[in-house]
Amino acid sequence: MAFPNSDHDSGTDSIPTPVKIIIAGGFGVGKTTMVGSVSEIPPLTTEEILTEASDGIDDLEGVERKTTTTVALDFGRITISPKHVLYLFGTPGQERFWFMWDELARGAIGTVVLVDTRRLDTSFGAIDFFERRQIPFIVAVNCFDSAQPYTEDEIRGALAVPTHVPIVMCDARKRDSSKLALIKLVKHAMSALPVR
């Protein structure tokens, strides 16, 4: 007997398996941009204008021109194959919103930790969070135009990322680049699954 959404079901197409992915990282690294660039639906964002209330709380060094920030989450969707649809959840970057990360990470198969080499210190919290919870992750270096280029080994050393964690260079503004990072994460997460 075939299950209703198995490949053997005749007469109907199989229903794609939903896969939850987290896009995390520090404040201003490009998480909202990545979700928006790759989502096949209009992304849901919770962007709010930065106000004087965040003075002295949000570190704008290196991102002085940033005028908005995510206060809850970003959400998007992308179909990567007939069998798999990725549901993307972008986390807020400011430390004061990290209490939401546990809930957002529940049920995720893995995480793209987006980093900005101009402000690597903003990435340590996200890397530590997912390492401690043993959630597979990759590091995606968002290659900003004004950033000095670094090699993968230099970035791995600066972030103290283990050798089994993939590091990819990407441009969060570009769909193809963001999609490649997501595919790399899915492959990495699948390789971390226990063998049946």
Side-chain angles (χ1 to χ4, degrees), residues 23 31-43 75-80 86 88 171-183:
I23 311 295
K31 299 177 298 294
T32 300
T33 301
M34 177 177 263
V35 172
S37 75
V38 79
S39 180
E40 63 196 18
I41 60 171
F75 175 78
R77 183 187 76 204
I78 179 172
T79 303
I80 60 167
L86 302 186
L88 311 174
D171 184 336
R173 299 168 299 182
K174 297 181 178 174
R175 178 180 174 82
D176 288 344
S177 184
S178 295
K179 187 175 180 179
L180 287 174
L182 293 170
I183 291 170

Side-chain angles (χ1 to χ4, degrees), residues 46-49 69-74 92 94 96-97 99-100:
T46 56
E47 290 276 287
E48 293 294 336
I49 295 172
T69 186
T70 299
V71 295
L73 62 92
D74 299 313
Q94 304 97 309
R96 69 181 188 271
F97 294 129
F99 68 91
M100 291 187 269

Side-chain angles (χ1 to χ4, degrees), residues 5-194:
N5 57 348
S6 74
D7 289 337
H8 304 292
D9 185 26
S10 58
T12 62
D13 292 332
S14 62
I15 298 171
T17 301
V19 179
K20 183 178 182 181
I21 299 289
I22 303 298
I23 311 295
F27 178 61
V29 297
K31 299 177 298 294
T32 300
T33 301
M34 177 177 263
V35 172
S37 75
V38 79
S39 180
E40 63 196 18
I41 60 171
L44 166 71
T45 63
T46 56
E47 290 276 287
E48 293 294 336
I49 295 172
L50 286 168
T51 65
E52 291 178 7
S54 67
D55 285 351
I57 298 172
D58 294 331
D59 181 8
L60 294 177
E61 186 176 342
V63 288
E64 291 84 2
R65 292 188 296 171
K66 186 169 175 59
T67 59
T68 61
T69 186
T70 299
V71 295
L73 62 92
D74 299 313
F75 175 78
R77 183 187 76 204
I78 179 172
T79 303
I80 60 167
S81 78
K83 294 183 179 181
H84 297 96
V85 175
L86 302 186
Y87 290 93
L88 311 174
F89 292 82
T91 65
Q94 304 97 309
E95 194 170 339
R96 69 181 188 271
F97 294 129
W98 285 3
F99 68 91
M100 291 187 269
W101 285 24
D102 274 317
E103 212 47 54
L104 285 174
R106 192 178 314 262
I109 67 151
T111 303
V112 173
V113 175
L114 201 57
V115 303
D116 177 354
T117 57
R118 302 169 303 176
R119 303 164 59 242
L120 277 182
D121 58 318
T122 65
S123 307
F124 292 120
I127 290 170
D128 184 58
F129 180 91
F130 295 103
E131 275 184 335
R132 287 177 182 260
R133 286 155 184 83
Q134 299 181 339
I135 296 173
F137 69 94
I138 68 164
V139 171
V141 179
N142 194 5
C143 299
F144 287 90
D145 296 334
S146 59
Q148 178 181 334
Y150 293 96
T151 67
E152 180 182 321
D153 288 341
E154 288 173 321
I155 293 165
R156 187 178 301 282
L159 293 173
V161 175
T163 55
H164 71 275
V165 174
I167 294 178
V168 299
M169 305 301 172
C170 75
D171 184 336
R173 299 168 299 182
K174 297 181 178 174
R175 178 180 174 82
D176 288 344
S177 184
S178 295
K179 187 175 180 179
L180 287 174
L182 293 170
I183 291 170
K184 185 76 167 181
L185 170 64
V186 171
K187 289 179 177 177
H188 174 61
M190 289 174 67
S191 72
L193 291 173

